[in-house]
Amino acid sequence: QVGGFAWENCGDKKDPAVLQSLSVTPDPISIPGSLRISAAGSSSKTLASPLKAVLLVEKALGDLWIQLPCIDNLGSCTYDDVCTILDNLIPPGTACPEPLQTYGIPCHCPFKAGSYSLPASDFVLPDVELPAWMTNGNYRVRVAVSNGGEELACVKLAFSLQS
């Protein structure tokens, strides 16, 4: 579906971590602007370091989907350990940012097995200087998370951006 928000799990049925619901408004997403997100997911096993994330980011050009390269950690990048990135963004020992803290959603590894739910919450998207190739348009993103070669989760997203 082009030009509308959509998501799906893309792992096989054995993946321990799955997204159960995800809602994002407005559609298209506006930068800068406010984003309202609600989500629920669960994992049947603890997700521990090193958590590798592989992103495939595509942008629609007419009827074609073009894979965007990884530039300055944006685009189709591989992150060898998301846990370290999270620790750098949010120093361990400090509280998780809202609304994660209110709803008991962890922001550091390990992520314990269980169910997590984020009721509709507002996030502010700042006016960031995005590269020209990452502005207005329709996008598809595939995120695969693994540990030691074992796939833990896979999610596909489709969304539109307008800046």
Side-chain angles (χ1 to χ4, degrees):
Q1 154 184 9
V2 170
F5 179 79
W7 67 274
E8 65 177 338
N9 290 294
C10 45
D12 69 26
K13 297 287 177 263
K14 297 192 301 287
D15 277 10
V18 291
L19 200 53
Q20 284 149 336
S21 66
L22 178 62
S23 164
V24 176
T25 53
D27 185 4
I29 296 165
S30 181
I31 302 175
S34 177
L35 197 57
R36 174 160 280 219
I37 301 176
S38 62
S42 65
S43 179
S44 59
K45 68 186 287 184
T46 295
L47 308 183
S49 181
L51 279 184
K52 180 179 184 178
V54 178
L55 266 69
L56 171 66
V57 181
E58 297 173 302
K59 181 176 183 179
L61 285 180
D63 293 334
L64 294 176
W65 287 93
I66 307 296
Q67 181 177 334
L68 300 180
C70 182
I71 298 173
D72 293 335
N73 277 326
L74 283 176
S76 300
C77 302
T78 296
Y79 305 98
D80 287 319
D81 191 9
V82 175
C83 299
T84 307
I85 296 170
L86 288 173
D87 286 347
N88 289 336
L89 288 172
I90 306 158
T94 58
C96 291
E98 290 296 352
L100 300 183
Q101 189 176 354
T102 294
Y103 299 116
I105 300 172
C107 57
H108 290 289
C109 301
F111 297 99
K112 294 187 176 71
S115 296
Y116 297 99
S117 177
L118 177 71
S121 302
D122 292 317
F123 296 85
V124 173
L125 294 178
D127 194 2
V128 286
E129 278 296 313
L130 285 174
W133 49 271
M134 281 205 65
T135 51
N136 297 359
N138 296 318
Y139 293 85
R140 291 195 308 212
V141 178
R142 182 185 188 275
V143 184
V145 179
S146 61
N147 175 304
E150 178 196 5
E151 186 172 279
L152 301 172
C154 179
V155 176
K156 283 183 182 172
L157 304 169
F159 57 90
S160 302
L161 287 185
Q162 75 178 23
S163 57

